[in-house]
């Protein structure tokens, strides 16, 4: 028994072969790379992220007014590093996503400082760890990684600090990497500690 599709084809003279094919969608790439429209969307996205970073950064700065002394301190707003650390961190992440690396590093540093003031050295170390790869040259990257490693050690995790130092050292030139490798060795030695004393000698058999 013929199907409905076969009967329809016989009546109207159409078939699946004659059906119009869907037109392929235009890609956003040309032979020279991204199309102008794609590049414009990317610029707009980066600008939006940068604006978000500016907004978060402004909110963080408002939470960290300069400290005052004397009678003025009683009447002024006190810094709140606990809340500011979150706003600085969100600003840094937005700046990093927008490619504004210098602003991201500055915000990560301030977030790290606020975390330390809030007795949260683990997150302080993590902020410096995220900032290190964004630095403009190997020397600056090594400095941030060294600070992160030291902060991890202060937080009671020297092995994590050694891991951070070695991970970034692998991507640097030899001269910049050497101090990080030395730092990692020192932190690992600190974590492992001194070897246990040998067991006492067995008494001689009589």
């Amino acid at each position: 028994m013929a199907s409905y599709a076969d009967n329809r084809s016989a009546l109207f003279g159409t078939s699946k072969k004659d059906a119009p094919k869907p037109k392929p969608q235009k890609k956003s790439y040309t032979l020279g790379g991204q199309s102008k429209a794609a590049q414009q969307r990317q610029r707009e996205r980066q600008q939006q992220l940068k604006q978000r970073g500016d907004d978060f950064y402004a909110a963080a700065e408002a939470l960290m007014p300069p400290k005052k002394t004397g009678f003025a301190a009683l009447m002024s707003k006190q810094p709140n590093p606990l809340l500011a650390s979150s706003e600085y961190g969100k600003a840094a992440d937005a700046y990093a996503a927008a490619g504004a690396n210098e602003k991201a590093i500055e915000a990560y540093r301030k977030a790290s400082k606020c975390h330390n003031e809030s007795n949260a050295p683990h997150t302080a170390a993590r902020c410096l760890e995220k900032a290190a790869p964004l630095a403009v040259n190997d020397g600056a990257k090594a400095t941030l990684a060294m600070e992160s490693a030291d902060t991890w050690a202060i937080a009671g995790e020297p092995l994590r600090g050694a891991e951070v130092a070695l991970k970034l050292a692998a991507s640097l030139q030899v001269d910049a990497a050497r101090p990080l490798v030395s730092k990692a060795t020192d932190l690992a030695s600190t974590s492992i500690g001194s070897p246990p004393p040998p067991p006492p000698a067995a008494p001689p058999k009589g």
Side-chain angles (χ1 to χ4, degrees):
M1 185 174 181
S3 66
Y4 172 78
D6 294 334
N7 291 333
R8 187 176 183 278
S9 298
L11 288 172
F12 298 102
T14 60
S15 65
K16 293 181 180 179
K17 294 182 179 178
D18 299 328
K21 296 180 180 180
K23 295 181 179 180
Q25 295 181 351
K26 293 182 178 180
K27 295 182 179 180
S28 298
Y29 287 84
T30 63
L31 292 176
Q34 283 185 309
S35 66
K36 291 183 178 179
Q39 291 175 354
Q40 179 62 28
R41 288 195 296 270
Q42 185 177 5
R43 285 193 294 267
E44 291 174 354
R45 174 62 176 165
Q46 288 177 335
Q47 187 59 38
Q48 290 173 356
L49 288 168
K50 185 177 179 298
Q51 183 59 55
R52 288 185 62 189
D54 290 340
D55 293 341
F56 286 130
Y57 192 90
E61 291 284 275
L63 291 166
M64 293 296 290
K67 292 183 179 180
K68 296 182 179 179
T69 58
F71 180 76
L74 299 176
M75 306 298 295
S76 63
K77 183 179 179 181
Q78 297 300 309
N80 191 330
L82 181 62
L83 294 180
S85 62
S86 176
E87 299 301 308
Y88 280 129
K90 289 185 285 188
D93 290 342
Y95 285 141
N101 290 349
E102 289 186 8
K103 286 181 172 289
I105 292 172
E106 180 185 0
Y108 278 132
R109 278 193 174 280
K110 290 196 173 185
S112 178
K113 182 179 179 182
C114 287
H115 282 304
N116 275 325
E117 292 180 7
S118 303
N119 295 318
H122 293 81
T123 41
R126 178 60 181 149
C127 287
L128 295 171
E129 182 181 343
K130 292 168 72 174
L134 303 177
V136 68
N137 55 54
D138 283 1
K141 290 177 182 179
T143 298
L144 284 163
M146 192 81 72
E147 293 178 17
S148 176
D150 285 334
T151 308
W152 277 116
I154 293 171
E157 295 194 35
L159 281 182
R160 178 62 186 274
E163 179 185 347
V164 170
L166 285 178
K167 182 179 179 180
L168 192 67
S171 66
L172 304 181
Q173 296 294 327
V174 175
D175 290 341
R178 190 176 290 111
L180 288 176
V181 174
S182 178
K183 170 63 68 175
T185 303
D186 291 343
L187 291 176
S189 300
T190 302
S191 176
I192 296 172
S194 302
K205 294 181 180 181

